[in-house]
Amino acid sequence: MTVDRNILEKIDVLYDVGRDFVERPQLHGASVPSMFDPCEFDQWRRLVNDLLFMIGGCDDLYYQRFSTEVTRPHVRDLEQGLRILSAVRDDVVCEVSSPRTGTSLARSDCGRARASYH
């Protein structure tokens, strides 16, 4: 996992943007067209994909799951994307808080309990 100082901030910003999409008015599980620009969703999705690729590469589970499961501007896809971002953030926090010995801390040593993104 590649971690730099700004990664948590980037994840938080993308999470907030995704949360804004979910909180917009909805009709049958999709955002109301007049309130939602599909191009905004595509831009958000691309930025998250790029960030996940930068963090873990193309073989990373988070990157693969996000790429295949967050494809439409529907609430279900957006919520899945938010769960994945939250799990990534937990891993980054764990990585940042681990000693610089080159080894990651075990999941139980990372602080708060982790929620599954499945």
Side-chain angles (χ1 to χ4, degrees):
M1 175 180 288
T2 304
V3 178
D4 69 28
R5 294 177 184 219
N6 298 321
I7 215 86
L8 287 174
E9 183 178 322
K10 292 175 185 177
I11 293 170
D12 289 341
V13 167
L14 290 170
Y15 186 91
D16 290 344
V17 170
R19 175 59 45 205
D20 288 344
F21 288 144
V22 170
E23 292 174 354
R24 291 183 183 182
Q26 302 167 22
L27 181 65
H28 304 295
S31 293
V32 176
S34 63
M35 302 295 288
F36 185 82
D37 180 4
C39 197
E40 287 180 48
F41 168 78
D42 289 338
Q43 290 172 345
W44 175 78
R45 184 178 182 276
R46 182 181 45 81
L47 290 171
V48 173
N49 263 329
D50 290 348
L51 180 66
L52 295 177
F53 180 82
M54 180 188 75
I55 292 171
C58 64
D59 293 330
D60 183 65
L61 179 63
Y62 296 132
Y63 174 78
Q64 292 177 1
R65 296 285 305 259
F66 189 89
S67 297
T68 59
E69 296 179 11
V70 184
T71 58
R72 302 169 300 152
H74 286 245
V75 172
R76 187 174 308 170
D77 285 21
L78 288 161
E79 288 175 341
Q80 177 67 358
L82 293 173
R83 284 190 294 273
I84 291 170
L85 276 174
S86 181
V88 168
R89 187 182 196 291
D90 288 347
D91 282 356
V92 169
V93 167
C94 181
E95 185 74 20
V96 168
S97 65
S98 71
R100 300 291 176 197
T101 61
T103 60
S104 295
L105 294 173
R107 289 185 188 267
S108 62
D109 296 334
C110 292
R112 70 183 180 97
R114 299 154 63 86
S116 172
Y117 67 92
H118 299 283

